[in-house]
Amino acid sequence: MGWRILGICQSLSQFLPILIRDSLQSIVFSYPGSSFFNELNEVARRLPDIEQRGVKVVGLSRNWPNEDLHWNKLLQHYNRQPESGRNVQIIADDRGRLSSLYGMLSQRDSDGVASNPNTAFLVDPMKIIRVILPYPSFLSTGLTQILRFVDDNAGPLEDIPADMFGLDSKGRGQIYEQETKVTDGGSTDTVAVVKSAASLISNLKGATGGDTDGSSNAAAAATDYIQHAMTVMDSLADLGKVMPFVAPAFVLIKAIIAVEQRARDVDAKCTDLVQRVTFMLSHLPALKKINVTDSTRQVIDRMNDTLKKAAALVQTYRKQSAIARRLSVHNKDRFASCASSLSQCTNDLMLSLQIHQSTQLDILTRPVPSDPEDEAATHFVATHGGIDAVKGNEALVKQFATQLKLSVDDNVMEQLNTNISMVLQQNQDRLEQSLNESVSASVIEGIRGLAAQMNESAKEQTFVCVQCDKEYHDSTNGEKSCSFHRSEYDSWHKTYRCCSSQNPCQAGRHRSEQHCDFSYGNFFAFARNITGYTDTTKKWTDIEDFNLETSQKLTVSVARLLRWKSRGAQPELPTILVRVGQVSISEPYLFKTFNIKDLELISKVVDITHQTVIFRISHSEQEFAMAEWVLSPTGVIVGIKITAKAATSNEPFIRLCPIDITSCKLSGDVRSLSEGGLRSFKPRKPYVLPEIQRVSATLHEGAPREVRKDFKTRTTPNLPVVMKLVSDPPLVANPQYANSETDYFGGTISVFNKHKASSMEPISIASVTAFYRFVGDEKYQPVKLVEILDGITLPYTIDPRQTLTLKFGVVISRSEEDTKIGTRWWNRAFVARERPVRIKLVLTDIEEEECSLVLDYVCPVPDLQKADKDDLAYFYVDDPLTWQRYGVHIAKDPRSGVKIGNDTRNADWMKTVVYQALKTGESEIALDIGAENDTGKPTAWSWKTWALVDLSCRRLYAFKILITKTRGATQAFACMGYVSCPEYGGSYDESRPIRYAKEVSQFPELNPSVVFRPIVLDDELDDSVPETSQATSMALNTGLSSQLASSNELQQRLASIDNNLSRLAISMEQLVEIMKNK
């Protein structure tokens, strides 16, 4: 495709990428003396033509200050736009060192008289010289030739004769000595070189149809459709050897040509079909210039299938006699169907091969032609009852033959009644078999050629490509040898971000060293191994600016490279790392290392060229990031200056990093030359914020008081028992399970029979019931459920002076409003969240005498949220209905930001808010920080945030938070609080008066029907014991001995005991008899 400049001195290959940095074609020219002004005039005049083609112009000047000034005047003279001339560079070459390096010095004739050759190079984006034009005339003539060459060779240039431009056997350009010698043959005559270049351009134009005579000849040759098809077939012969999937097309068109060559007559339908096939296949050589993907292969496979059908159709059609061919009226439909398939395949093929237009698209759109004989056959069949009637009547067939003056042979009737579809399929099968044999032979031949090349290349040095991880040799490294993706593989989405395909989307030359000329997947991992760890680099300086409208960051940094990856090897030579922008597949960036040898070489080049810019991501003066070399008065690199400026910043960030290129170390302190970004002013006095406004209930935390355990037994005179607490606390709530409709309470009590042991008066408990009330209520209500645990069955008898330990469980239903809340509490009762609950346990004996004991339950409510120790503020409201606190934490983020709720915002975001306020004039900015929680539920609540901006000091000074809690469709509680914004970003030393924000949002109007009930924690309803119980108890205690002393009563009791014992004895005897019988 051309030749690279591989210079006599080692610096040339390093210098070229610096000289021609952009991905553009470049013209490099040099002129001695005052003629350079004339050439600048020509470039300025033709600037629109140059920029339209995306060509960059580089001029080597012997009088750089004056000619640079002259160039700026020319741009004004021709009324060029401000952005024009960006791709024209004038490089100082006062001492002629670059001109000497590139062979641009004056030549001398045999008399020693110096001529003034105007030498120009055309360099493509791959840094390869395409044209060298040395000629004794002004640039105007050569510029026209160069632009014509660019137009005629806009795509990849291939098959250009190497000797046209004086290349050596290895395809390298010649670098002229300081004094060019002219041999006897005049081989270096500049005129001859110009003629050779003109000859090449003429040949290229002829090949692309630029020659009128050539077009006429081509059009005349195209009338012979077989000859045209053979030409296309020849072009596919070599292509099929290196691309086996194309070989079937070669075999199929060869079969079609063979059938047509043997045909004894010309048929319009066959001619049309062959022309369509030929047109389609004529595009296949373009495969050499593209990256073949899976979609391209699929199009080629579909094309081969269509070709098989076309070849089978031509073979079947040609085997029919003239009469059978005409009377088979469906033949035309078959040709039309095949033509439609070919048109579709051709369109898909052109799209896949990136061919956007053609001069012969009428071949695809024209209808299938019809012979007069076809029309006569259609009319004859229609007038004689249809095709079936004609095929079965030999007389009608002979009548048609006589009408067309054709002879009838013995096979006509057999051909007419043969199943054409079956014959077509048989022909396709035979073609498939022949195809497999032919393609196999083609592939084998291609493999042999590749094997020979591999044996030859095995003798060369082997490299490993950093782009595709494959081994390669220089001799086989072509323009599309390497296939790779522009991005990394995304293991999460299992695809590549660059193309969403598994097949590589880019092609180019293999590269053995990491580079940032363009993006490729492996480079992302290479860069991440360096930047993702702390032991790989030692940062010297970095800057970052932030576009407050687009949120784009512009970053630049300089660091010492310590390792290529964490805990990995160190660089062989001291190395620095310069980064401009972020590694990306869509944005320009620089990620480049320079060791001491690189810096020594670059220092010399920069001293010559005065091109100090290392990299700049944009030509815009409003927004850019760049790094540039800083030179000493003697022309040696002594530092790196980095700059970053966003479009929303008035000034750029600039840092100067002094370095010693002999050791790659800092040679001094990093200096700040400018501070950019949106900077605030200091307020003259502290900000005073409004007080917090809150309308809310106040919830107690933990247990509001101790549980009471001093309640006494209540009983009747006829039921002398004592009930006491056993469990501590008296009641536990929801110990094992919880639901949203009820609360469960469990406890244990003891019941003591106070009768004397000698009284022989047991007490039988027949039932246990329970009631509850909340402290402050006057009446008890029945519980939903009471259960006796530990297997005790009622009735249960308690002997005198004995105790019953009773473990029980009680279920209390929640109110309908509480049930809707849906709260489930373990080890605490939701119904008792506001007021303690009292449960009265009532025991009834078999004689329906009752005794009771009251048990107190005080709910240990969950701990409510509080401000954290690092909070700047905590705003909240309490709701006694749900017994929840709804709040928002505001804290300072350790990374120079603020955290509001779960949202963390940094300093750049705060500057964006201020920028928006300055732009709109509004000082209260509604933020996208807040939430609508549990909408439609009893726990629904919401909060919003506003930023308050001081437009005078250009500072965000406070945040305003509003919390609202709803009940039903109305707002019941609210809290509005203010918190100072932590310090962020930089500020000027200048102070300004405060201008408080004009607040628009106000504290909301709340529902006045929400009443805060006073919380009652205790009452005296269960404290007193009825006097009747006390009197009965005293009478029982004082009169018991006298009653028991009565002899009559004693006799009655003894008789009762005897009767009981007799009944017991009889029962035991009956039990013994029953056991014997079993």
Side-chain angles (χ1 to χ4, degrees), residues 1054-1072:
L1054 290 175
S1056 175
I1057 293 173
D1058 290 339
N1059 292 333
N1060 290 337
L1061 290 175
S1062 298
R1063 287 196 300 269
L1064 182 60
I1066 294 171
S1067 298
M1068 291 298 293
E1069 290 176 358
Q1070 292 174 351
L1071 180 61
V1072 171

Side-chain angles (χ1 to χ4, degrees), residues 148-165:
R148 187 185 301 122
F149 185 90
V150 171
D151 292 340
D152 293 342
N153 301 275
L157 304 178
E158 296 188 5
D159 302 327
I160 298 180
D163 57 352
M164 294 296 290
F165 302 128

Side-chain angles (χ1 to χ4, degrees), residues 756-829:
K756 287 188 175 182
S758 60
S759 69
M760 303 302 291
E761 292 189 14
I763 296 175
S764 295
I765 305 300
S767 65
V768 178
T769 57
F771 302 86
Y772 77 95
R773 74 176 179 89
F774 295 103
V775 171
D777 294 347
E778 296 182 356
K779 294 183 179 180
Y780 277 92
Q781 304 176 52
V783 299
K784 181 178 182 181
L785 175 67
V786 179
E787 60 179 353
I788 304 300
L789 306 177
D790 288 345
I792 295 178
T793 304
L794 300 178
Y796 188 90
T797 300
I798 308 173
D799 292 329
R801 314 306 294 181
Q802 297 299 313
T803 300
L804 167 65
T805 301
L806 186 65
K807 186 175 183 181
F808 64 92
V810 175
V811 177
I812 298 177
S813 297
R814 297 184 187 179
S815 66
E816 182 179 354
E817 190 176 32
D818 285 357
T819 301
K820 290 180 179 179
I821 297 174
T823 301
R824 297 169 181 244
W825 278 2
W826 277 263
N827 299 316
R828 50 179 59 90

